[in-house]
Amino acid sequence: MTIDDSSTSYGEIVRRLAGAQKVSLPGSPPYSVYVNRKVGRLIAAWAYRAGLTPNAVTAVSATLTFAGILCIALVPPAPWTGILVWLLLALGYAFDSADGQVARLRGGGSPAGEWLDHVVDAAKLSSLHIAVAIAMFRFFALPSAWWLLLPLLYTVVSAVTFFGMILNDLLRQARGGGAARRPGARSAAHTILLLPTDYGILCLVFVLLGWPMVFTIAYGLFFIANLGALALALPRWFGQMKQLGKES
């Protein structure tokens, strides 16, 4: 979907983006689909009219996100810092949604742009939890040093989950899309259970940063939910890859 006329109104660009939006798979993260994608659409329309390239939008996303991550690691936790961290992470996530939409407005993305987007995503997912570990070590009155393992293990879960999803798509593309994602319909209850795996919902948890033990408990529950989701996903993904090998 290319818009050649730079005088096209902001509202028209937003409407065209809404009409050309990617189809959401059943069970897709609700915040990412119903909130972040829509906010990203508004940002994409503005960025397009401002003449920003998709890579420039990615750079803005990275700047906002890593500013939030640095706040977690370096600024003593307080109610206002929790709100600031959430705003920076949430805005960074919205700009992350916008870069691909800007690429569609300009006629399609590039391999370099997709590479940059994925590298930034990989860096933020690991850095976020490492920053939590640093904050816990520096600022939290933890009952035991064993609690520091929580963000470190969360780093592993996030990295494996992200790499697994990316690798699944790459292998499917390399094999001609043989075992394309065909998830069955999921119930509303199932979608709600998957809320903790939504990065946008995780960003909201940082509003609790001013109350360290409350944050730690909420963060720990999110870790358990993500660990459980990964444990369920890995055998399913492996089975899909086995089926892909049979079909190719």
Side-chain angles (χ1 to χ4, degrees):
M1 177 192 60
T2 306
I3 296 179
D4 298 321
D5 184 3
S6 60
S7 65
T8 303
S9 71
Y10 176 85
E12 178 61 24
I13 294 174
V14 171
R15 285 191 291 272
R16 293 193 191 183
L17 274 173
Q21 199 67 66
K22 293 186 294 184
V23 176
S24 300
L25 294 170
S28 296
Y31 178 93
S32 299
V33 172
Y34 300 112
V35 178
N36 198 62
R37 187 177 291 177
K38 292 182 179 179
V39 176
R41 186 185 307 155
L42 301 177
I43 293 173
W46 165 82
Y48 178 79
R49 286 180 57 83
L52 296 182
T53 65
N55 288 350
V57 177
T58 300
V60 174
S61 170
T63 300
L64 291 167
T65 297
F66 287 104
I69 290 172
L70 286 174
C71 282
I72 296 169
L74 302 178
V75 181
W80 71 267
T81 58
I83 294 173
L84 176 62
V85 167
W86 166 64
L87 285 173
L88 288 170
L89 294 178
L91 281 173
Y93 191 35
F95 271 86
D96 183 35
S97 173
D99 58 8
Q101 299 188 61
V102 171
R104 286 198 292 278
L105 286 171
R106 295 168 64 95
S110 67
E114 186 174 359
W115 178 90
L116 180 64
D117 188 39
H118 289 328
V119 167
V120 170
D121 284 343
K124 82 177 181 187
L125 289 173
S126 295
S127 300
L128 179 65
H129 300 296
I130 292 172
V132 172
I134 294 171
M136 285 184 170
F137 177 77
R138 296 185 65 200
F139 306 122
F140 289 20
L142 296 173
S144 169
W146 286 101
W147 281 92
L148 293 173
L149 288 175
L150 175 59
L152 300 181
L153 292 172
Y154 210 151
T155 304
V156 176
V157 170
S158 294
V160 173
T161 300
F162 180 74
F163 180 76
M165 291 189 297
I166 296 298
L167 186 58
N168 288 346
D169 288 341
L170 288 175
L171 289 174
R172 288 179 184 121
Q173 292 172 12
R175 300 294 182 114
R181 285 181 283 180
R182 295 186 295 268
R186 291 173 175 167
S187 66
H190 194 175
T191 299
I192 292 172
L193 288 174
L194 290 176
L195 276 174
T197 67
D198 192 329
Y199 176 79
I201 301 297
L202 176 61
C203 293
L204 279 171
V205 174
F206 286 91
V207 172
L208 302 173
L209 201 57
W211 301 270
M213 286 313 301
V214 176
F215 168 80
T216 302
I217 292 170
Y219 181 81
L221 292 173
F222 269 63
F223 164 71
I224 292 170
N226 279 268
L227 178 62
L230 179 62
L232 293 173
L234 287 175
R236 177 168 53 84
W237 291 346
F238 185 66
Q240 290 172 353
M241 293 303 106
K242 289 177 66 176
Q243 183 62 33
L244 179 61
K246 295 177 182 178
E247 293 176 357
S248 60

